[in-house]
């Protein structure tokens, strides 16, 4: 079954991709999309305004995609396909790199292992929910890669995962397998539980910023001892001895890899004092904070952050929703960018992630970033923070064909994505989405009717297992991030 | 023909066996009180499952075993005769994953709250908490049965089940049991069979989240390997090696990591199934997948993994009292439509499977749902095999069970017609050669519409959706009023207020908790036993809660199940004002 077919020039949006999804019926559809990954073909996106995010804007430009990668980008007159190339005529359209969210909690069955203050052993990739409808909604907003972070309940949270939003593909294909390993740290009110008190759950250490620092120091120290134990073991083996190996401890293994620089630290933080504390603490152990997350007071200590070499992934303009957020300013991105810090904007929200480009646009207003600097906040810079800038984040030859086609300039509130592709495969097509709605509505109606006609088939069962509760970031902050949280169940 | 001169006379009985009586067409005389262990069932249609079906034949049971079966066999004179004209004999049915006959395990205690600094230091120093790590629990430890425990299952034709503890992560060791005897020692056919694993978070301590559960599972399997290594070294050379500590949980995990004992993962969604398979492959575990409701989406994947599925016949159902059908998602509707097809899809893909009831409230629905699987395309003989011989093979008891063959255990079901015919009725069941007569339901069918009340504890012994007992008009008015409840959680006591009204056996009302308020969605009282279901919205998630308790005067006590855990509660009725 040929599912994805891009017509030549005329009827260019009539790709029967989603229609096939619907036609394949039932949940088998989820897997039959596998057939749509036709990466071997050439696709030409023709005659668009291309915002490359790395080397300026190309008017009347074309992009040639081969085997899922960008094979050529330039003026339309210079970039041509061959005879069999599928052509997408994008006259009047704008093309941007797929957006990269450096701080997301989308498509996860649990977010916080909130029981302990150090949970370096848990891994987000164990709990990815590849059927979360938010994946599709964010694709519709041009998002293509997300950094799935552990929550901020603990001073040291879990190991994060990075996925591409290949809606309909199984989780093992979504995971960016060659991405670096990262871990979540958290400072301030959330790990010390200032705003959340859960009935039935005992309060725990730490309850102050001092305690948070001590918690991290203790974990580093234990990680160092663990490394030492294994080094001693290896040394003994080299001497020809045969000692009992030390017990493998998944938590301390992760801490040891943090100390070895094999796992990047991404730390949730707000206040200037705690930011500087973490930079100094890491320097004491000979390591670097890779990315500061949220960083609301980053503008106050931008020279210190720059000197340390950390990057900053920020909330664009949220403030005053809790005590530690009172000193936030929307000029944060611009101030830090001008200090030479690699800055990205993140969503931290299923809702903001659907209109991520608008968040970037605000940063032209606050602090006079250039258009390309603003675009990089949601494309190339987060790619750098995820160490994936060789693969994604800009429209350059050799990079993954993760692209968004807008019907207008992405920084206009009147614009919207028409199509989103990842590695040359279309995962969102607005026209097809609209066309499929009627069919989906009919399918639903038919199923409801079928149940009505079915003779008394209700089979009472014992209640199923309840969902495993997950501590959300809203719970910790004592406020809602954007819209009220929706039930993750579809 | 069956006259009294054979009665209880050993010599003559032996003579009768030697002489042999051709009984294929013999009409029985009036039944007599006869307490022997031998039965001869004659004039029956016999579905042997492994051999061909005998249109009209006889079957002899002695000492709990099938002594003879065939169209034309000699029937011993000492056997109690059962004329089964019009009846069909099937092998007793299996339910391949249950927790029948087990009392709830004690909820493992959470960590001591004490001094937070100490708790913190302990946290960092200690291996992950052993909460949820109870692999050493066995069925014998937890079994609590009496003569009526399995009445409903037998009435549904179920004679053999896999049962195992269901609390926590490593839940303990399952066993294959026959649903006949009254003492655990007599029921057990095979123990242990498996280690059961559930992806259940532990509230208030580690692992408190799904991802923590996976880290916990991986860590404890690594620990079991380390334990094995330490003990192997010590046993090989006790001199010069430190003696390791003994740990019963680690001991219980040894056959698991050595691939000698399978684990059963209780899973339903595609991603749960894949998580289980990934974990099993990482640690080379033998595994079975129980539940597996969404397995129809990944039948080829399961085939490629050579996986074994204990497929639940507890199909998803429309929620009771759903006001707007449109409010359900398309996926939910698709799931319901697809559920009965799952067995057919697994069969076509060549995946090995047996059926489980998925703890259906009314065991009688088990066969009804198997019949729905047949309607959805599963060949009837495959459905029967999934209930009998295939289950026996998967559970490692096919030498003695799962079909009607000479020498096998006399687990039999006698029905009035085809097993899957809705009008058929189970008449007799034999378990280990012991006969159980199944009474016809007292009331005619009827309450089988969508949203009908769940029939827990129904006294109906037939099967089919209407077998639950009619509400009793004589139910005593025990429950109505306001109750102050105290629920014991590992970290804290949580108080709640329960306001109930009672109408016959049905209970309505509200519950008020520190987590929020909720209406009782389902409530019932039978005698002094109370059952209440409701759903709380906690931290943005729907949390179903199920309470079971017993009222004594103005006090109530029982257990509350929420988030996969059981909590004890006590309470008192507030005096009328």
């Amino acid at each position: 079954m040929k599912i994805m077919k891009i017509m030549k020039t005329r009827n260019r949006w009539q790709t029967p991709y989603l229609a096939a999804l619907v036609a394949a019926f039932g949940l088998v559809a989820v897997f039959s999309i596998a057939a749509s990954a036709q990466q071997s073909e050439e696709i030409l996106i023709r005659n668009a305004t291309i915002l490359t995010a790395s080397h300026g804007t190309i008017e009347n430009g074309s992009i040639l995609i081969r085997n899922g990668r960008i094979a050529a980008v330039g003026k339309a007159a210079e970039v041509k396909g061959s005879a069999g190339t599928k052509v997408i005529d994008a006259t009047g359209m704008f093309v941007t790199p797929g957006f990269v969210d450096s701080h997301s909690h989308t498509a996860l069955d649990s977010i916080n292992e909130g029981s302990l203050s150090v949970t370096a052993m848990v891994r987000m990739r164990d709990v990815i929910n590849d059927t979360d409808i938010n994946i599709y909604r964010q694709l519709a907003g041009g998002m293509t890669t997300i950094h799935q972070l552990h929550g901020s309940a603990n001073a040291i949270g879990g190991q994060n995962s990075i996925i591409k939003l290949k809606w309909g593909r199984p989780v093992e294909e979504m995971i960016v397998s060659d991405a670096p390993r990262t871990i979540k740290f958290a400072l301030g009110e959330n790990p010390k539980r200032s705003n959340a008190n859960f009935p039935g759950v005992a309060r725990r250490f730490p309850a102050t910023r001092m305690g948070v620092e001590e918690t991290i120091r203790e974990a580093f120290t234990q990680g160092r001892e663990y490394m030492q134990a294994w080094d001693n073991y290896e040394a003994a083996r080299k001497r020809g001895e045969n000692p009992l190996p030390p017990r493998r401890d998944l938590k301390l293994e992760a801490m040891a890899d943090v100390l070895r620089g094999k796992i990047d630290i991404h730390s949730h933080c707000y206040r200037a004092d705690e930011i500087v504390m973490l930079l100094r603490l890491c320097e004491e152990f000979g390591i670097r904070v890779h990315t500061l997350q949220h960083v609301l007071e980053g503008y106050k200590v931008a020279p210190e952050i720059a000197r340390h070499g950390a990057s900053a992934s920020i909330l664009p303009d949220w403030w005053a929703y809790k005590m530690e957020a009172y000193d936030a300013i929307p000029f944060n991105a611009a101030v830090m960018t001008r200090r030479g810090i690699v800055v990205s904007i993140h969503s931290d929200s299923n809702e903001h992630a659907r209109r991520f480009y608008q968040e970037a646009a605000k940063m032209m207003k606050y602090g006079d970033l250039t258009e390309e600097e603003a675009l990089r906040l949601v494309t190339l810079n987060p790619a750098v923070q995820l160490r994936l800038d060789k693969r994604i984040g800009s429209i350059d030859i050799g990079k993954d064909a993760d692209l968004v086609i807008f019907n207008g300039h992405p920084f206009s509130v009147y614009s919207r994505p028409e199509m989103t592709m990842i590695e040359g495969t279309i995962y969102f097509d607005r026209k097809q989405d609209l066309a499929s709605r009627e069919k989906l509505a009919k399918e639903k109606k038919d199923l409801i009717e079928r149940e009505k006609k079915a003779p008394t088939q209700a089979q009472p069962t014992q209640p199923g297992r309840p969902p495993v509760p997950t501590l959300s970031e809203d719970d910790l902050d004592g406020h809602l991030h954007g819209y009220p949280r929706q039930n993750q169940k579809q | 023909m069956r006259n009294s001169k054979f009665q209880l006379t050993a010599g003559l009985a032996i003579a009768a066996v030697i002489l042999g009586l051709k009984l294929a067409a013999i009409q029985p005389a009036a039944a007599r009180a006869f307490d022997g262990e031998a039965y001869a069932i004659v004039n029956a249609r016999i579905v042997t499952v492994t051999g061909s079906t005998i249109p009209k034949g006889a079957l002899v049971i002695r000492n709990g075993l099938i002594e003879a079966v065939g169209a034309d066999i000699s029937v011993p004179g000492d056997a109690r005769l059962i004329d089964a004209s019009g009846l069909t004999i099937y092998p007793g049915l299996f339910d391949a994953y249950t927790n029948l006959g087990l009392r709830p395990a004690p909820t493992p205690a959470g960590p001591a709250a004490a001094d937070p600094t100490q708790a913190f230091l302990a946290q960092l120093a200690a291996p992950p908490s052993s909460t949820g790590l109870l692999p050493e629990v066995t069925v014998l430890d937890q079994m609590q049965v009496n003569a009526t425990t399995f009445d409903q299952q037998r009435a549904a034709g179920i004679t053999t089940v896999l049962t195992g503890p269901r609390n926590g992560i490593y839940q303990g060791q399952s066993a294959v049991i026959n649903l006949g005897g009254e003492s655990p020692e007599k029921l057990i056919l095979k123990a242990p069979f498996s280690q059961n694993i559930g992806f259940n978070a532990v509230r208030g301590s580690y692992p408190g989240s799904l991802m923590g559960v996976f880290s916990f599972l991986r860590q404890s399997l690594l620990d079991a390997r380390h334990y094995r290594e330490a003990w192997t070294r010590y046993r090989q050379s006790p001199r010069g090696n430190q003696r390791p500590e003994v740990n019963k949980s680690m001991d219980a995990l040894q056959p698991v990591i050595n691939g000698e004992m399978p684990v059963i993962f209780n899973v339903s969604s595609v991603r749960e199934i894949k998580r289980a398979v990934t974990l099993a492959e990482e640690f080379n575990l033998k595994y079975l997948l129980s539940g597996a409701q969404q397995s129809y989406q990944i039948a080829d994947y399961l085939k490629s993994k050579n996986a074994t599925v204990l497929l639940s016949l507890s199909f998803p159902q429309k929620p009771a009292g759903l006001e707007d059908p449109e409010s359900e998602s398309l996926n939910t509707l698709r799931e319901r439509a697809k559920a009965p097809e799952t067995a057919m899809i697994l069969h076509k893909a060549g995946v090995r499977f047996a059926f489980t009831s998925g703890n259906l409230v009314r065991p009688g629905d088990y066969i009804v749902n198997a019949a729905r699987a047949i309607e959805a395309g599963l060949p009837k003989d495959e459905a029967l095999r999934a209930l009998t011989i295939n289950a026996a093979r998967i559970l490692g008891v096919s030498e003695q069970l799962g079909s009607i063959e000479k020498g096998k255990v006399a687990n039999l079901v006698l029905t009035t017609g085809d097993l899957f015919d809705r009008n058929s009725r189970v008449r007799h069941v034999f378990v280990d050669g012991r006969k159980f007569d199944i009474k016809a339901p007292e009331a005619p069918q009827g309450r089988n519409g969508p949203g009908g009340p769940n029939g827990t504890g129904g006294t109906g012994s037939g099967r089919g959706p209407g077998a639950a007992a009619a509400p009793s008009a004589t139910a005593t008015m025990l429950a109505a009023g306001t109750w102050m409840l105290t629920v014991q959680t590992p970290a804290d006591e949580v108080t709640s207020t329960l306001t109930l009204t009672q109408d016959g056996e049905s209970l309505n009302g509200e519950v008020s908790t520190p987590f929020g308020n909720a209406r009782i969605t389902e409530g019932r009282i039978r005698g002094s036993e109370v059952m209440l279901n409701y759903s709380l919205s906690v931290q943005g998630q729907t949390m179903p809660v199920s309470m079971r308790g017993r009222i004594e005067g103005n006090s109530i006590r029982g257990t509350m199940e929420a988030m996969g855990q059981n909590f004890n509660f006590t309470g008192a009725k507030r005096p009328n004002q």
Side-chain angles (χ1 to χ4, degrees), chain A residues 298-445:
Chain A
Y299 66 94
K300 293 184 182 176
V301 287
E304 286 81 357
I305 295 171
R307 201 178 306 129
H308 179 85
S311 57
S313 166
I314 69 166
L315 294 163
D317 58 354
W318 298 10
W319 61 77
Y321 49 91
K322 55 180 169 175
M323 189 56 81
E324 63 186 0
Y326 267 75
D327 271 6
I329 58 170
F331 296 87
N332 202 17
V335 171
M336 288 195 286
T337 298
R338 293 286 171 257
R339 280 287 179 173
I341 298 168
V342 175
V343 178
S344 70
I345 284 176
H346 62 237
S347 78
D348 196 11
S349 151
N350 281 333
E351 192 275 323
H352 283 219
R354 301 181 315 188
R355 47 179 184 79
F356 206 40
Y357 42 95
Q358 293 174 354
E359 301 297 307
K362 291 176 186 171
M363 297 301 112
M364 291 178 72
K365 175 176 169 63
Y366 298 106
D368 295 330
L369 290 185
T370 67
E371 183 182 288
E372 184 156 289
E373 281 172 333
L375 184 62
R376 282 183 189 173
L377 294 173
V378 291
T379 54
L380 190 55
N381 290 0
V384 168
Q385 293 172 347
L386 301 182
R387 294 189 202 265
L388 288 172
D389 50 309
K390 289 218 161 46
R391 266 186 74 176
I392 58 172
S394 64
I395 301 179
D396 283 296
I397 292 170
K399 287 201 174 182
D400 293 353
D402 297 0
L403 301 168
V404 193
I405 302 177
F406 279 85
N407 69 343
H409 194 289
F411 288 171
S412 161
V413 291
Y414 301 107
S415 299
R416 62 176 182 240
E418 294 287 343
M419 186 186 273
T420 304
M421 63 169 65
I422 297 173
E423 292 160 21
T425 300
I426 297 166
Y427 286 93
F428 169 74
D429 179 335
R430 187 165 187 274
K431 290 238 168 27
Q432 281 311 317
D433 182 285
L434 294 174
S436 68
R437 289 181 188 185
E438 202 175 312
K439 275 185 183 158
L440 291 168
K442 182 175 183 314
E443 185 192 344
K444 186 168 177 177
K445 190 161 164 276

Side-chain angles (χ1 to χ4, degrees), chain B residues 39 41 61 82 159 410-412 414 429-435:
Chain B
Y39 291 92
I41 309 169
I61 299 168
I82 297 168
T159 60
N411 276 13
L412 306 166
L414 277 69
V429 171
F430 286 85
V431 185
D432 276 321
R434 187 172 159 198
K435 180 160 162 281

Side-chain angles (χ1 to χ4, degrees), chain A residues 7-242:
Chain A
M7 304 286 179
K8 293 198 175 187
T9 57
R10 296 283 167 216
N11 300 326
R12 58 190 179 274
W13 300 116
Q14 304 295 317
T15 58
Y17 168 73
L18 272 168
L21 188 158
V22 178
F25 184 76
L27 301 136
V28 184
V30 169
F31 292 88
S32 65
I33 303 172
S36 75
Q38 295 176 14
Q39 297 189 345
S40 60
E41 66 186 0
E42 277 193 356
I43 302 168
L44 183 73
I45 301 173
R46 196 167 70 185
N47 211 23
T49 302
I50 301 171
L51 309 180
T52 65
S54 59
H55 58 285
T57 300
I58 304 170
E59 306 281 348
N60 301 321
S62 291
I63 301 168
L64 183 67
I65 299 159
R66 190 181 298 133
N67 298 329
R69 298 233 167 111
I70 297 168
V73 55
K75 284 286 181 190
E78 292 154 15
V79 177
K80 296 256 157 70
S82 50
T85 305
K86 318 271 184 209
V87 176
I88 300 172
D89 185 350
T91 305
M93 307 271 175
F94 287 69
V95 182
T96 70
F99 301 126
V100 181
D101 192 347
S102 52
H103 188 131
S104 171
H105 301 295
T106 296
L108 292 171
D109 279 337
S110 64
I111 293 168
N112 278 294
E113 173 52 56
S115 58
L116 306 173
S117 288
V118 178
T119 55
M121 60 288 198
V122 305
R123 310 184 306 192
M124 308 316 289
R125 74 171 149 117
D126 288 331
V127 292
I128 297 170
N129 175 3
D130 54 9
T131 67
D132 183 353
I133 191 63
N134 287 299
I135 293 173
Y136 185 71
R137 289 175 182 158
Q138 291 176 25
L139 270 173
M143 193 74 80
T144 53
T145 304
I146 63 172
H147 188 204
Q148 296 175 299
L149 290 169
H150 187 277
S152 54
N154 317 330
I156 298 181
Q159 300 172 49
N160 312 309
S161 51
I162 299 173
I163 62 167
K164 290 208 183 186
L165 301 185
K166 298 176 182 173
W167 176 243
R169 309 294 307 147
V171 63
E172 53 271 25
E173 290 180 34
M174 289 189 181
I175 291 177
V176 182
S177 53
D178 56 346
R181 296 165 67 196
T182 72
I183 192 167
K184 177 74 173 285
F185 280 29
L187 312 177
E189 292 178 15
N190 290 7
K192 75 191 182 77
R193 296 276 162 89
S194 302
N195 308 303
N197 185 20
F198 307 109
V201 177
R203 290 194 75 102
R204 60 156 208 212
F205 183 91
T208 65
R209 281 187 165 75
M210 297 180 287
V212 171
E213 178 178 3
E214 181 51 25
T215 302
I216 296 171
R217 185 189 308 277
E218 178 70 25
F220 281 161
T221 305
Q222 290 198 3
R224 200 156 59 181
E225 286 165 2
Y226 184 77
M227 277 166 74
Q228 190 60 51
W230 277 94
D231 288 348
N232 292 347
Y233 167 73
E234 295 296 343
R237 298 261 301 172
K238 282 209 179 102
R239 290 195 300 270
E241 295 167 25
N242 184 24

Side-chain angles (χ1 to χ4, degrees), chain B residues 442-467:
Chain B
E442 291 152 19
Q445 317 299 317
R447 272 204 352 232
N448 52 2
N454 289 0
T456 306
T459 57
S461 54
R463 63 181 169 84

Side-chain angles (χ1 to χ4, degrees), chain B residues 495-563:
Chain B
T495 54
S496 305
T497 309
L498 185 63
T499 311
L500 293 178
T501 58
Q502 182 175 348
D503 178 16
E505 289 191 338
S506 115
L507 301 178
N508 285 299
E510 286 184 343
V511 61
S512 161
T513 80
F515 305 92
N517 301 339
R519 284 207 71 79
I520 305 293
T521 50
E522 191 187 359
R524 199 168 45 243
I525 178 164
R526 287 231 163 77
S528 58
E529 304 284 343
V530 175
M531 193 288 292
L532 299 168
N533 288 339
Y534 54 91
S535 282
L536 286 170
S537 178
V538 178
Q539 295 163 23
Q541 299 249 342
T542 304
M543 179 177 85
V545 181
S546 177
M547 299 181 76
R548 273 155 214 280
R550 176 190 283 272
I551 294 176
E552 282 170 19
N554 280 332
S555 71
I556 184 169
R557 62 174 59 243
T559 56
M560 185 184 107
E561 193 191 336
M563 296 177 297

Side-chain angles (χ1 to χ4, degrees), chain B residues 174-199:
Chain B
S174 71
V176 185
I177 64 168
N178 254 353
L179 303 186
E182 275 132 49
S183 76
E185 291 77 7
K186 285 181 183 167
L187 297 175
I188 289 178
L189 285 157
K190 183 171 184 167
F193 173 72
S194 66
Q195 177 64 237
N196 289 359
I197 292 180
F199 300 148

